[in-house]
């Protein structure tokens, strides 16, 4: 069964949202989805770039009430 | 009231000393018991390992006897915890003793797990343990020229350490007079030279000035120690003569064996520092999953907040926290052998790096000694 996990990386600068996502990606299984919550503008661009480069999948990337919700799936 | 702290490193020691000082009369009156259990009778100043790697400190300078750092009211035992029985409010130690508690604090830190990356233990040097820092220093002294490559795994302690190491490598080879024979290559997992945007903004031009080459989006996959090639998840590779790695970290095995963790880290409330789902279990330092850097600085500020809350709980019966951890961290960043800056931030305020200076470097050198005052809870 694929798992869905929410990773709250709001208001965190060091090591920051992308590092949090990479940490949780390493723990996840193929098929799992992670929804990263971030208040950092840069993450909205940085995280999809990392996901594409490594070859995972971005499901959605939207800002709601000042918080970016970036949903990704581990594909390999 | 029984307070039990597990882990006599930075966080556990500062907390024990703060509690002891604030609750001295209650402890002497037998109303409060304050016990600290640790896995070692020695306390290591871990940031000093970076200086050992560059021959600027020797390993003996990094240690003090843990007992000598503690207030006399702390009941200290070297007997690591084996079983955490949180539903029964007690722990069982390797020595077979059982300790009951009303309040438990877990401060067991983190460990390196280079074995998670194929070839890393055989192919790379590091500076995250005493033995490896000493060996790296020897390798650096013997090095006559070629490519020194740095690779960084996630998650790891002290997020600025790889950047500091690069600047120190630059100055080290300059002082040996062979900088022109050495290519310094820095590989980093995210899309900037550091995960924290403002650190990256500062470090990139400094790397350019020092002639340090860099590749971003390099997530360490494996090392071929025979061919001396390191491979990334992204499909790139780097040939090296000397590979230095910041190895991946996890929480302590005992935390995983007791199923307290998710992926090695204990789920913890980032403000109250309670373990999720438990009101009388707190977690501080590297052991938490709080999205803040794994640093002695975070462990220090967390332990001050927690001490205030435990004291209030005992003295005034206040169950809700009187202070919340605000995510505060303050870390020095060495920019070479004689310049440094610092990274200070919390959950709300971004780090804003100042240009490196000699006074900040000397402050860091002084802090390498002041740590022993800090860990006694005096600074
Ligand atoms: C090379 C290097 C450079 C660093 N540079 C910096 C820096 O510049 N600034 C900074 O702020 N931080 C730095 N750090 C990080 C800092 O040292 C750690 O983040 C900090 O020590 C964490 O504190 P802690 O209390 O969580 O864990 P630790 O200090 O690691 O202590 C953990 C304690 O738990 C004990 N323990 C383990 N298992 C058990 C058990 N089963 N039962 C009982 N006790 C147990 C251990 O014996 C130890 O005493 C650096 C670290 C390294 C390695």
């Amino acid at each position: 069964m694929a798992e869905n996990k929410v990773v709250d990386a709001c208001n965190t600068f060091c090591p920051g949202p992308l590092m949090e996502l990479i940490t949780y990606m390493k723990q996840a299984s193929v098929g799992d989805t992670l929804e990263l919550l971030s208040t950092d503008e840069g993450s909205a661009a940085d995280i999809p770039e990392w996901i594409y480069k490594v070859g995972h999948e971005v499901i959605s990337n939207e800002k709601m009430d000042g918080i970016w919700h970036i949903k990704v799936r581990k594909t390999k | 009231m029984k307070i039990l702290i597990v882990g006599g490193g930075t966080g556990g020691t500062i907390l024990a000393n703060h509690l002891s000082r604030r609750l001295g009369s209650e402890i002497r009156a037998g109303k409060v018991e304050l016990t600290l259990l640790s896995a070692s009778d020695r306390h290591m100043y871990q940031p000093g390992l970076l200086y050992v790697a560059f021959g600027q400190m020797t390993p003996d300078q990094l240690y003090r006897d843990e007992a000598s750092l503690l207030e006399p009211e702390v009941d200290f035992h070297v007997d690591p915890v084996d079983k955490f029985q949180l539903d029964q409010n007690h722990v069982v130690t390797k020595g077979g003793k059982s300790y009951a508690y009303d309040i438990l604090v877990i401060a067991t830190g983190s460990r390196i797990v280079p074995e998670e990356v194929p070839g890393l233990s055989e192919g790379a040097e590091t500076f995250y343990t005493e033995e490896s820092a000493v060996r790296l220093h020897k390798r650096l002294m013997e090095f006559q020229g070629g490519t020194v490559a740095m690779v960084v795994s996630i998650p790891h302690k002290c997020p600025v350490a790889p950047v500091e190491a690069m600047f120190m490598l630059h100055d080290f080879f300059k002082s040996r007079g062979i900088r022109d024979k050495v290519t310094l290559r820095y590989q980093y997992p995210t899309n900037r030279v550091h995960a924290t945007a403002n650190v990256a903004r500062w470090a990139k031009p400094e790397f350019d000035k020092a002639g340090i080459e860099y590749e971003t989006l390099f997530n360490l996959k494996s090392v071929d120690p025979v061919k001396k090639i390191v491979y990334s998840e992204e499909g790139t590779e780097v040939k090296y003569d000397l590979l230095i790695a910041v190895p991946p970290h996890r929480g302590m095995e005992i935390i995983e064996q007791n199923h307290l963790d998710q992926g090695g880290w204990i789920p913890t409330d980032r403000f109250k520092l309670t373990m999720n789902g438990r009101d009388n279990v707190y977690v501080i330092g590297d052991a938490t999953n709080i999205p803040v850097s794994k640093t002695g600085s975070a462990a220090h500020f967390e332990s001050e907040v927690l001490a205030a809350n435990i004291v209030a709980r005992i003295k005034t019966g206040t169950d809700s926290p009187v202070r919340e951890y605000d995510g505060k961290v303050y870390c020095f960043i060495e920019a070479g052998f004689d310049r440094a800056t610092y990274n200070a931030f919390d959950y709300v305020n971004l780090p804003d790096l100042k240009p490196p200076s000699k006074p900040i470097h000397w402050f860091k050198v002084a802090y390498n000694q002041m740590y022993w005052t800090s860990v006694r809870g005096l600074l």
Side-chain angles (χ1 to χ4, degrees), chain A residues 49-68:
Chain A
E49 188 187 344
W50 180 78
I51 291 285
Y52 294 130
K53 187 87 195 266
V54 183
H56 300 302
E57 184 189 338
V58 177
I59 302 168
S60 57
N61 184 1
E62 47 188 354
K63 195 176 185 178
M64 287 185 274
D65 300 327
I67 297 175
W68 289 95

Side-chain angles (χ1 to χ4, degrees), chain B residues 60 80 84 93 121-122 126 140 155 161 166 170 173 208 286 308 347:
Chain B
D60 56 301
F84 289 87
T93 64
S121 302
E122 302 81 8
T126 180
L140 289 174
M166 291 315 293
H170 171 70
F173 288 118
D208 289 334
D286 291 357
Y347 291 144

Side-chain angles (χ1 to χ4, degrees), chain A residues 19-36:
Chain A
M19 285 292 210
E20 293 298 322
L21 182 71
I22 297 176
T23 300
Y24 282 92
M25 271 303 216
K26 281 173 80 175
Q27 296 166 17
S29 309
V30 172
D32 287 356
T33 57
L34 292 174
E35 183 173 351
L36 185 94

